[in-house]
Amino acid sequence: MERETDPCAICLGEIAGGKAIFTAECSHTFHNRCIARNVAHGRRVCPLCNARWSDVPALSSSSAAAAEPDDDDEPPLYADDDPVEPAGEQAAATDGDAAAGLVVKAHCEYPAVARGASRDKFAVLVHAKAAGAAAAAASRAPLDLVTVLDVSGSMAGRKLALVKKAMGFVIDNLGPADRLCVVSFSTEASRRTRLLRMSEVGKATAKRAVESLVDDSATNIGDGLRVAGRVLGDCRRKNAVSSVILLSDGKDSYVVPRRGNGMSYMDLVPPSFASSGGRGRLAPIHTFGFGADHDAAAMNTIAESTGGTFSFVENEAAIQDSFAQCIGGLLSVAVQDARIAVACSSPGVLVREIKSGRYESRVGADGRAASVEVGELYADEERRFLLFINVPIAEATEDATQLIKLSCTYRDTVTGRTIDVAAGEDAVVRRPLEVSAADQEVSMEVERERVRVEATEDIAIARAAAERGDHAEAARTLQLRREAVEASAPGLAGDVMCDELADDLCELEEEVEDAPRYERAGRARMLAGMSSHGLQRASGTTHNSSRRKQCARKERAKERLYATPAMGMMVSKSRDEPPPAQRQQKGPGRGGDEQSEKKKKKSGE
């Protein structure tokens, strides 16, 4: 009688309602329909405990057909997700000014252009920043998270133990309104839990599922992502934020070997994850290449095509920190579907180009309008885009030229409302008869972004050189760019971003110097860096500390580029350290007052 009330060990649905069931020799119970796919593929092991069966359920031809339906007509196998928290309860917590959720500003390259002069490709920085973590923490949108974990044979032992520990941390830090589904894959994929709310009971169930994972055979990344897509696509209810975490330590055993026969890495990605332009996309897939033997090109392609980040976890022991940083962002999503619109204000002003990285941008045929699809931002997260515009000769009586007007539309994740935001000020340049020396001082904000964009472009150029085997050229490109970063105005002024960027370029230069080093870690480091810079989002990339020490020219703790306070706090929690705000008081390099430190040294304190 007790066995009849146990849930199905695959879908966790009730064994009731007249559905055919199968009880295995290991005592785990399944719906016949749920186990059909495993048996149809010849698997004779329990998907929960991996016990080998001597007897398997007998399936009719119709049952076998149901196990492998056409993708377009597949029935909703996973429409058993837990209920979500009513939207009204989340929205009621937001009573403030919703327009404060995103601030958009413009910075001109120079404050003035001579009245009788024109400028081609005059730079204007468009800067967008989401509301801070304090506002987001008061009422954040709940998360639907699907973790897709490699349990192939190469994950045996320490690797799998580290992943289980990291997953325990993730589960502990999800809230009761968040939902989690655990998917594992080896030769084929298995859904270990339905999309469960992370109540105390849900957390206990998820932890049991994670602890039951065992290594087994080959690596079928595509099947793991197909199951993740079905979980999110079949669910009856949806939270405002959805995301997938994919971890793998190896190369796909199914699609990748057939790449020479017209297959590509994109064949690993279900179409529902890669909708054009990001709109209508099911969820971003954040990929984690675990150790030195993963397929960095495949993992980067999956992330890039879905709007996710690619992280290289070279130091396997740091996987929990990498997951922590990722979920620190996912649990603080403040803005979705953000779109910045640019309209030229004065006659003769034209937009010529936009440097937007991995964000889709458009310039109108006449150059009078442009847009950038920004998408999703975490709390405190920033996006910077360089616009290059033509500034015409001014009229004889014109004291100032209005260049562009900015506006932005986004969806508030908590309320679901669409918000329209106008920039605080238009981009304007003064038009004196002659420019003064002060008028020729370049904006540090604009120059800082120019340095970042040029470094990002050179990383891509160096990677292309390394891929064709010209490692000396790759190293030389990175060396020259590092020297340019250090010699730039913000670099000479001690800008933190430039310091971090120069250190990264130094490290990458070492990684591309020869083929063995590039194959071992260089390619993955380059792709992870390109992913992070292209999205202006911190990745969970880790590295060997010895290499980092060779590159760092300052005795200061390293902070990841683009990391938000919420990300930093979650990493601190993973390491059982004080949060960043407390660490700042302990000395330089953590945001403390460097001038006061210098004074202390001079006075002998």
Side-chain angles (χ1 to χ4, degrees), residues 101 129-137 140 328-335 376-383 413 537 562-567:
K129 183 174 182 178
R140 68 169 178 85
L330 295 176
L331 294 177
S332 64
V333 174
V335 166
E376 187 175 84
L377 284 88
Y378 303 152
D380 284 304
E381 206 168 32
E382 301 177 61
R383 297 288 181 267
T413 54
R537 173 165 284 174
Y562 314 115
T564 66
M567 288 174 160

Short mmCIF file of all heavy atoms in Angstrom, two decimals, residues 101 129-137 140 328-335 376-383 413 537 562-567:
data_model
loop_
_atom_site.label_atom_id
_atom_site.label_comp_id
_atom_site.label_asym_id
_atom_site.label_seq_id
_atom_site.Cartn_x
_atom_site.Cartn_y
_atom_site.Cartn_z
N GLY A 101 14.01 52.50 -12.24
CA GLY A 101 14.63 51.20 -12.44
C GLY A 101 15.74 51.20 -13.46
O GLY A 101 16.57 50.30 -13.47
N LYS A 129 22.17 52.26 -16.71
CA LYS A 129 22.42 51.56 -15.45
C LYS A 129 21.11 51.20 -14.78
O LYS A 129 20.21 52.04 -14.65
CB LYS A 129 23.27 52.42 -14.51
CG LYS A 129 23.63 51.68 -13.21
CD LYS A 129 24.59 52.48 -12.34
CE LYS A 129 24.94 51.68 -11.08
NZ LYS A 129 25.91 52.40 -10.22
N ALA A 130 21.02 49.93 -14.34
CA ALA A 130 19.82 49.47 -13.65
C ALA A 130 19.86 49.89 -12.19
O ALA A 130 20.91 50.20 -11.63
CB ALA A 130 19.71 47.95 -13.76
N ALA A 131 18.68 49.88 -11.57
CA ALA A 131 18.56 50.26 -10.16
C ALA A 131 19.44 49.39 -9.29
O ALA A 131 19.79 48.26 -9.65
CB ALA A 131 17.11 50.15 -9.71
N GLY A 132 19.79 49.90 -8.11
CA GLY A 132 20.72 49.23 -7.23
C GLY A 132 20.16 48.00 -6.55
O GLY A 132 18.95 47.76 -6.51
N ALA A 133 21.08 47.21 -5.99
CA ALA A 133 20.71 45.94 -5.36
C ALA A 133 19.80 46.13 -4.17
O ALA A 133 18.96 45.28 -3.88
CB ALA A 133 21.98 45.18 -4.94
N ALA A 134 19.93 47.27 -3.45
CA ALA A 134 19.10 47.48 -2.27
C ALA A 134 17.63 47.55 -2.66
O ALA A 134 16.75 46.96 -2.02
CB ALA A 134 19.51 48.77 -1.56
N ALA A 135 17.34 48.24 -3.79
CA ALA A 135 15.96 48.35 -4.25
C ALA A 135 15.47 47.00 -4.75
O ALA A 135 14.32 46.60 -4.51
CB ALA A 135 15.86 49.39 -5.35
N ALA A 136 16.35 46.27 -5.45
CA ALA A 136 15.95 44.97 -6.00
C ALA A 136 15.71 43.95 -4.91
O ALA A 136 14.83 43.09 -5.03
CB ALA A 136 17.03 44.46 -6.97
N ALA A 137 16.50 44.02 -3.83
CA ALA A 137 16.37 43.03 -2.76
C ALA A 137 15.03 43.15 -2.04
O ALA A 137 14.49 42.17 -1.52
CB ALA A 137 17.51 43.18 -1.77
N ARG A 140 12.20 41.24 -5.42
CA ARG A 140 12.79 40.78 -6.67
C ARG A 140 11.86 39.78 -7.34
O ARG A 140 10.98 39.18 -6.71
CB ARG A 140 14.15 40.12 -6.41
CG ARG A 140 14.07 38.81 -5.64
CD ARG A 140 15.42 38.10 -5.68
NE ARG A 140 15.41 36.85 -4.92
CZ ARG A 140 15.01 35.68 -5.41
NH1 ARG A 140 14.54 35.61 -6.65
NH2 ARG A 140 15.04 34.59 -4.66
N GLY A 328 24.06 34.92 -8.24
CA GLY A 328 23.98 36.25 -7.65
C GLY A 328 23.38 37.25 -8.62
O GLY A 328 22.61 38.13 -8.23
N GLY A 329 23.71 37.09 -9.90
CA GLY A 329 23.09 37.93 -10.92
C GLY A 329 21.66 37.54 -11.20
O GLY A 329 20.77 38.39 -11.26
N LEU A 330 21.42 36.24 -11.38
CA LEU A 330 20.08 35.78 -11.74
C LEU A 330 19.04 36.11 -10.67
O LEU A 330 17.87 36.31 -10.98
CB LEU A 330 20.10 34.26 -11.99
CG LEU A 330 20.95 33.79 -13.18
CD1 LEU A 330 20.95 32.27 -13.24
CD2 LEU A 330 20.43 34.38 -14.47
N LEU A 331 19.47 36.16 -9.42
CA LEU A 331 18.54 36.48 -8.34
C LEU A 331 18.39 37.99 -8.13
O LEU A 331 17.79 38.41 -7.15
CB LEU A 331 19.02 35.82 -7.04
CG LEU A 331 18.99 34.29 -7.02
CD1 LEU A 331 19.55 33.75 -5.72
CD2 LEU A 331 17.56 33.77 -7.24
N SER A 332 18.94 38.78 -9.04
CA SER A 332 18.81 40.23 -8.90
C SER A 332 18.42 40.89 -10.22
O SER A 332 18.72 42.07 -10.44
CB SER A 332 20.14 40.83 -8.39
OG SER A 332 21.18 40.63 -9.34
N VAL A 333 17.76 40.14 -11.11
CA VAL A 333 17.35 40.72 -12.39
C VAL A 333 16.35 41.85 -12.13
O VAL A 333 15.32 41.65 -11.49
CB VAL A 333 16.72 39.66 -13.31
CG1 VAL A 333 16.17 40.30 -14.58
CG2 VAL A 333 17.76 38.59 -13.68
N ALA A 334 16.67 43.03 -12.63
CA ALA A 334 15.82 44.21 -12.39
C ALA A 334 15.07 44.66 -13.62
O ALA A 334 13.98 45.23 -13.52
CB ALA A 334 16.69 45.35 -11.87
N VAL A 335 15.65 44.42 -14.79
CA VAL A 335 15.12 44.97 -16.04
C VAL A 335 15.14 43.89 -17.11
O VAL A 335 16.10 43.13 -17.21
CB VAL A 335 15.98 46.18 -16.49
CG1 VAL A 335 15.68 46.57 -17.92
CG2 VAL A 335 15.78 47.36 -15.55
N GLU A 376 18.25 42.15 -20.85
CA GLU A 376 18.11 41.97 -19.40
C GLU A 376 19.29 42.55 -18.65
O GLU A 376 20.44 42.39 -19.06
CB GLU A 376 18.01 40.45 -19.14
CG GLU A 376 17.68 40.05 -17.72
CD GLU A 376 17.50 38.54 -17.62
OE1 GLU A 376 18.52 37.82 -17.47
OE2 GLU A 376 16.36 38.07 -17.71
N LEU A 377 19.02 43.24 -17.56
CA LEU A 377 20.08 43.77 -16.70
C LEU A 377 19.85 43.35 -15.26
O LEU A 377 18.72 43.37 -14.77
CB LEU A 377 20.14 45.31 -16.75
CG LEU A 377 20.76 45.94 -17.99
CD1 LEU A 377 19.70 46.14 -19.06
CD2 LEU A 377 21.41 47.28 -17.65
N TYR A 378 20.94 42.99 -14.60
CA TYR A 378 20.89 42.72 -13.16
C TYR A 378 20.90 44.05 -12.41
O TYR A 378 21.24 45.10 -12.95
CB TYR A 378 22.11 41.90 -12.73
CG TYR A 378 22.29 40.59 -13.45
CD1 TYR A 378 23.56 40.04 -13.60
CD2 TYR A 378 21.20 39.88 -13.97
CE1 TYR A 378 23.75 38.82 -14.25
CE2 TYR A 378 21.38 38.67 -14.62
CZ TYR A 378 22.66 38.15 -14.77
OH TYR A 378 22.84 36.94 -15.41
N ALA A 379 20.54 44.01 -11.14
CA ALA A 379 20.61 45.21 -10.30
C ALA A 379 22.03 45.75 -10.30
O ALA A 379 23.00 44.99 -10.18
CB ALA A 379 20.17 44.87 -8.87
N ASP A 380 22.17 47.06 -10.46
CA ASP A 380 23.45 47.76 -10.49
C ASP A 380 24.26 47.50 -11.76
O ASP A 380 25.37 48.01 -11.90
CB ASP A 380 24.34 47.41 -9.28
CG ASP A 380 23.91 48.08 -8.01
OD1 ASP A 380 23.83 49.31 -7.99
OD2 ASP A 380 23.63 47.37 -7.02
N GLU A 381 23.73 46.71 -12.67
CA GLU A 381 24.50 46.40 -13.87
C GLU A 381 24.45 47.56 -14.85
O GLU A 381 23.44 48.26 -14.95
CB GLU A 381 23.96 45.14 -14.53
CG GLU A 381 24.99 44.40 -15.36
CD GLU A 381 24.54 43.02 -15.77
OE1 GLU A 381 23.34 42.79 -15.97
OE2 GLU A 381 25.42 42.15 -15.89
N GLU A 382 25.54 47.74 -15.58
CA GLU A 382 25.68 48.86 -16.49
C GLU A 382 25.94 48.37 -17.92
O GLU A 382 26.51 47.30 -18.12
CB GLU A 382 26.83 49.77 -16.06
CG GLU A 382 26.67 50.34 -14.66
CD GLU A 382 27.87 51.19 -14.25
OE1 GLU A 382 28.14 52.19 -14.93
OE2 GLU A 382 28.54 50.83 -13.27
N ARG A 383 25.52 49.16 -18.89
CA ARG A 383 25.85 48.92 -20.29
C ARG A 383 26.33 50.24 -20.89
O ARG A 383 25.72 51.29 -20.68
CB ARG A 383 24.63 48.42 -21.07
CG ARG A 383 24.09 47.10 -20.60
CD ARG A 383 25.01 45.93 -20.97
NE ARG A 383 24.43 44.68 -20.51
CZ ARG A 383 24.71 44.11 -19.34
NH1 ARG A 383 25.55 44.70 -18.51
NH2 ARG A 383 24.15 42.97 -19.00
N THR A 413 10.69 43.70 -13.95
CA THR A 413 10.54 42.25 -13.72
C THR A 413 9.55 41.93 -12.61
O THR A 413 8.94 40.86 -12.62
CB THR A 413 11.89 41.62 -13.37
OG1 THR A 413 12.48 42.31 -12.26
CG2 THR A 413 12.83 41.66 -14.54
N ARG A 537 29.27 41.66 -19.02
CA ARG A 537 28.73 40.92 -17.88
C ARG A 537 29.82 40.01 -17.33
O ARG A 537 30.54 39.36 -18.09
CB ARG A 537 27.51 40.10 -18.31
CG ARG A 537 26.97 39.17 -17.25
CD ARG A 537 25.58 38.69 -17.61
NE ARG A 537 24.59 39.75 -17.37
CZ ARG A 537 23.31 39.65 -17.71
NH1 ARG A 537 22.86 38.58 -18.33
NH2 ARG A 537 22.46 40.64 -17.45
N TYR A 562 33.06 43.77 -14.47
CA TYR A 562 31.61 43.82 -14.64
C TYR A 562 30.82 43.18 -13.50
O TYR A 562 29.59 43.13 -13.56
CB TYR A 562 31.17 43.17 -15.97
CG TYR A 562 32.00 43.56 -17.16
CD1 TYR A 562 32.77 42.62 -17.84
CD2 TYR A 562 32.01 44.87 -17.62
CE1 TYR A 562 33.53 42.98 -18.95
CE2 TYR A 562 32.76 45.23 -18.73
CZ TYR A 562 33.53 44.28 -19.38
OH TYR A 562 34.28 44.64 -20.47
N ALA A 563 31.46 42.67 -12.47
CA ALA A 563 30.72 42.02 -11.38
C ALA A 563 29.91 43.06 -10.61
O ALA A 563 30.40 44.13 -10.26
CB ALA A 563 31.68 41.30 -10.43
N THR A 564 28.65 42.74 -10.34
CA THR A 564 27.77 43.63 -9.59
C THR A 564 27.93 43.35 -8.09
O THR A 564 28.45 42.29 -7.70
CB THR A 564 26.31 43.42 -9.99
OG1 THR A 564 25.92 42.09 -9.59
CG2 THR A 564 26.13 43.58 -11.49
N PRO A 565 27.45 44.26 -7.24
CA PRO A 565 27.51 43.99 -5.79
C PRO A 565 26.80 42.70 -5.40
O PRO A 565 27.29 41.96 -4.53
CB PRO A 565 26.82 45.22 -5.19
CG PRO A 565 27.08 46.31 -6.17
CD PRO A 565 27.02 45.65 -7.51
N ALA A 566 25.66 42.40 -6.02
CA ALA A 566 24.95 41.16 -5.68
C ALA A 566 25.77 39.93 -6.03
O ALA A 566 25.79 38.94 -5.29
CB ALA A 566 23.60 41.13 -6.40
N MET A 567 26.49 39.99 -7.15
CA MET A 567 27.38 38.89 -7.52
C MET A 567 28.50 38.75 -6.51
O MET A 567 28.82 37.65 -6.05
CB MET A 567 27.97 39.15 -8.91
CG MET A 567 27.01 39.00 -10.07
SD MET A 567 27.84 39.50 -11.61
CE MET A 567 26.78 38.71 -12.81
#
